[in-house]
Amino acid sequence: MIEYRDIHKAYDTPVLSGVSLKVEPGECLSIVGPSGTGKSVLLKTTNGLLRPDRGEVFIEGEPVFNSGRRTLEKIRRKVGYVFQYAALFDSMTVYENVCQGLPDGDARHRHSPEVLRRVCEALEAVNLEPAHILNVLPAELSGGMRKRVGLARAIVGRPRIVLYDEPVTGLDPVNSAVVSLLITDIQEQMKVTSIVVTHDIEQALGISQRIALLEHGKLRFVGTPEEFKQSQDPVVQAFANRQAATAVALKIMEE
Ligand SMILES: Nc1ncnc2c1ncn2[C@@H]1O[C@H](COP(=O)(O)OP(=O)(O)OP(=O)(O)O)[C@@H](O)[C@H]1O
Ligand SMILES: [Mg+2]
């Protein structure tokens, strides 16, 4: 469904140094890794928001970068994106924000009953009551609701793939569990393939069929949650449990 082939990207220093990974149809794959290791950068290459220096991404076999504008538009329609920090437009209502997730052509018909219906459907799918929320500005919402509006925006175009960048960061445990349940719901009900970038390892273990650990621009580990928990690699262990993380932290402080 998604293939990253030898992705390289550098800014001042190398960020991604040869990432190759395949995500199967219907799968939910989580990406974990230290801050600043290129998780968001990798995610943004998926639908062409960011061009790698080398390598190619394939969506259902079609290259994202080595293709015409038409193909890229078609690919973008297949991909919903939940941005880090929710990234809603403060001056737009919830309705207008969710409309942003529609392909350009459809978004132009913002006042049509069909668009209204789809926006309402998307909000209901993330447990938000359209009647209460459509005309509200993001500033009036709680953090958990904002994240869910971000989810609604990502699914309103009925994508085949949904990319989540830190969907639960900054949420309390209950709201975080709600978002995790919604991600699984969306995966199962809408039959989407999902990639979830997260710092919440419990979430990753709970919702995904496979976990990838990105470190120093390379994939250090790819495997099932069970394999992740059993891994003997100290870096994986540092993510899998707090004790191991403390041991690694102490070593760094000693150096
Ligand atoms: N537009 C940019 N210009 C320059 N450097 C950038 C740009 N975008 C990302 N970087 C750098 O690339 C590196 C990886 O960034 P990225 O946002 O992908 O990290 P991340 O793994 O998502 O981190 P976090 O977990 O904190 O979100 C960072 O060092 C960042 O400073
Ligand atoms: Mg990030």
Side-chain angles (χ1 to χ4, degrees), residues 9-16 31-44 50 84-85 165-166 197-199 214:
K9 179 78 188 173
Y11 287 104
D12 296 337
T13 53
V15 176
L16 299 173
I31 301 179
V32 298
S35 266
T37 196
K39 303 183 296 296
S40 296
V41 166
L42 182 67
L43 216 56
K44 282 183 192 148
L50 211 152
Q84 196 165 0
Y85 316 116
D165 199 348
E166 306 277 5
V197 167
T198 182
H199 280 286
L214 193 63

Side-chain angles (χ1 to χ4, degrees), residues 45-75:
T45 65
T46 320
N47 62 346
L49 289 178
L50 211 152
R51 179 180 278 275
D53 302 331
R54 225 171 81 199
E56 181 60 278
V57 182
F58 299 86
I59 302 288
E60 293 191 297
E62 285 188 296
V64 173
F65 296 99
N66 213 338
S67 67
R69 203 167 53 88
R70 277 261 169 89
T71 313
L72 184 58
E73 265 170 35
K74 197 174 82 190
I75 288 173

Side-chain angles (χ1 to χ4, degrees), residues 181-249:
L181 288 172
L182 288 171
I183 292 174
T184 304
D185 257 19
I186 290 167
Q187 181 199 4
E188 288 171 0
Q189 313 274 326
M190 299 177 63
K191 311 249 178 301
V192 303
T193 305
S194 18
I195 301 183
V196 184
V197 167
T198 182
H199 280 286
D200 185 332
I201 194 66
E202 289 302 320
Q203 180 192 36
L205 293 171
I207 65 172
S208 38
Q209 282 75 58
R210 283 189 306 155
I211 298 179
L213 173 68
L214 193 63
E215 197 218 17
H216 299 315
K218 288 197 161 67
L219 285 174
R220 173 109 190 187
F221 170 94
V222 183
T224 64
E226 215 35 57
E227 287 161 351
F228 191 86
K229 283 187 266 185
Q230 316 250 311
S231 169
Q232 297 302 308
D233 180 341
V235 175
V236 175
Q237 285 179 347
F239 273 84
N241 75 71
R242 184 155 287 280
Q243 246 175 328
T246 308
V248 174

Side-chain angles (χ1 to χ4, degrees), residues 96 98-112 115:
E96 290 162 341
V98 176
C99 278
Q100 298 295 315
L102 290 168
D104 288 346
D106 299 354
R108 248 180 267 132
H109 302 288
R110 226 163 61 186
H111 300 292
S112 78
V115 168

